[in-house]
Amino acid sequence: MDHAKVLRLFDQDMREGARPDGPGVRVERVGPVVRRIGTEQGWNGVLWSSLDAAGADAAIAEQTRYFTGLGRSFEWKLYGHDGPADLGRRLLAAGFKAEPEETVMVAEPAGTGGPGGLTDPALDAARPDGVRIVPVTDPAGVDLVADVHERAFGTDSTRLRHDLLAGLSGDAGTAGDVVAVVALAGTEPVSAARMELLPGTRFAGLWGGGTVEGWRGRGIYRALVAHRARIAAERGYPYLQVDASDMSRPILARLGFEPLTTTTPYVYEPTV
């Protein structure tokens, strides 16, 4: 994989050239910053910036004033190749809190014509006995995904539930852009994941893959990656992209994903 080329395409499609990806979402370019304004329950933040040392602090202050004026917390999604080199330190000094760093990993689905990427054995990953993968098509399915999310990660699923319901509603032409699946052992939801397919982009984003404790290490996560990779290949997306945690990175590497850059969420919570 030509990493420099793919990184340029990623920035172009998913960051600098980002477009609204759901009902009520706006994407605005303000000078050297591209920001996403979602609903109160959705994700709000900075997707891309092209800053130098002279203008970084002013840009941070401007975005902080803007989102604080809306009464919303927001995230500055800082990538490892963003400048200036001390932008993370500047965000901390401005009152942001850093969350754990993740690795942006990319692969080419088999069957899309790329020279590398996922191999047929990866795509043929078998589900564990007794586990079936079910598409999420209604609010009841969203409840299952939210249940897995809370049990697997120990975090609140309010935003996830809101985003999935909005994607399933078909508002603003978003129907079909979000593919969500849940793995069931009998009737128990044990793993879940989603994929975002934005028209006009080259990257299918794999998100939220999580398996509840007691079911990990059985290949369910790998099977969900393979399931979504097949769908991305069928729809003609040349790249799969994941923001990988330390836990998922080794699994993805074995499947053929390669590290592209890093990303760290810097979160700002307005004071009351």
Side-chain angles (χ1 to χ4, degrees):
M1 182 182 295
D2 184 339
H3 289 74
K5 172 189 172 183
V6 175
L7 185 59
R8 286 195 302 271
L9 294 176
F10 178 75
D11 281 344
Q12 178 182 323
D13 283 10
M14 312 306 293
R15 303 185 63 211
E16 185 177 7
R19 62 203 72 190
D21 55 357
V25 173
R26 304 194 317 275
V27 175
E28 298 176 345
R29 178 159 187 165
V30 183
V33 170
V34 173
R35 63 191 180 201
R36 180 187 190 273
I37 302 96
T39 63
E40 289 186 21
Q41 299 86 5
W43 190 89
N44 291 266
V46 172
L47 295 168
W48 177 87
S49 64
S50 177
L51 303 173
D52 57 23
D57 291 338
I60 293 170
E62 180 181 5
Q63 297 309 312
T64 302
R65 284 193 299 270
Y66 177 78
F67 284 105
T68 300
L70 297 178
R72 298 180 189 177
S73 60
F74 75 105
E75 177 182 317
W76 193 299
K77 199 165 173 61
L78 177 63
Y79 288 80
H81 58 293
D82 290 344
D86 64 347
L87 184 53
R89 180 191 62 77
R90 292 170 184 264
L91 289 167
L92 292 174
F96 289 75
K97 293 183 179 179
E99 295 187 349
E101 180 184 271
E102 295 179 314
T103 302
V104 179
M105 303 189 75
V106 173
E108 297 167 305
T112 56
L118 298 182
T119 61
D120 288 337
L123 288 177
D124 290 337
R127 297 188 303 275
D129 290 341
V131 174
R132 55 197 174 98
I133 298 175
V134 179
V136 172
T137 59
D138 56 26
V142 171
D143 287 341
L144 295 178
V145 174
D147 176 67
V148 169
H149 185 273
E150 292 184 349
R151 292 165 60 201
F153 299 112
T155 55
D156 182 73
S157 62
T158 300
R159 178 181 292 172
L160 171 63
R161 189 187 302 271
H162 170 269
D163 290 345
L164 285 178
L165 288 172
L168 291 174
S169 71
D171 292 342
T174 61
D177 294 347
V178 177
V179 174
V181 291
V182 60
L184 299 175
T187 60
E188 179 189 1
V190 296
S191 188
R194 70 188 190 277
M195 176 168 61
E196 296 180 359
L197 302 169
L198 300 180
T201 68
R202 286 161 279 205
F203 293 82
L206 307 187
W207 301 96
T211 302
V212 301
E213 192 172 358
W215 287 91
R216 295 168 184 162
R218 305 190 192 190
I220 302 175
Y221 176 86
R222 183 179 63 181
L224 291 182
V225 171
H227 180 88
R228 289 173 289 167
R230 289 191 191 94
I231 296 173
E234 290 168 0
R235 299 194 186 183
Y237 283 80
Y239 300 106
L240 300 166
Q241 173 257 320
V242 185
D243 289 357
S245 66
D246 290 341
M247 182 181 298
S248 59
R249 176 173 174 168
I251 303 171
L252 293 165
R254 288 194 293 272
L255 290 176
F257 284 79
E258 300 179 26
L260 191 64
T261 184
T262 60
T263 181
T264 304
Y266 283 80
V267 178
Y268 188 89
E269 298 283 353
T271 57
V272 178

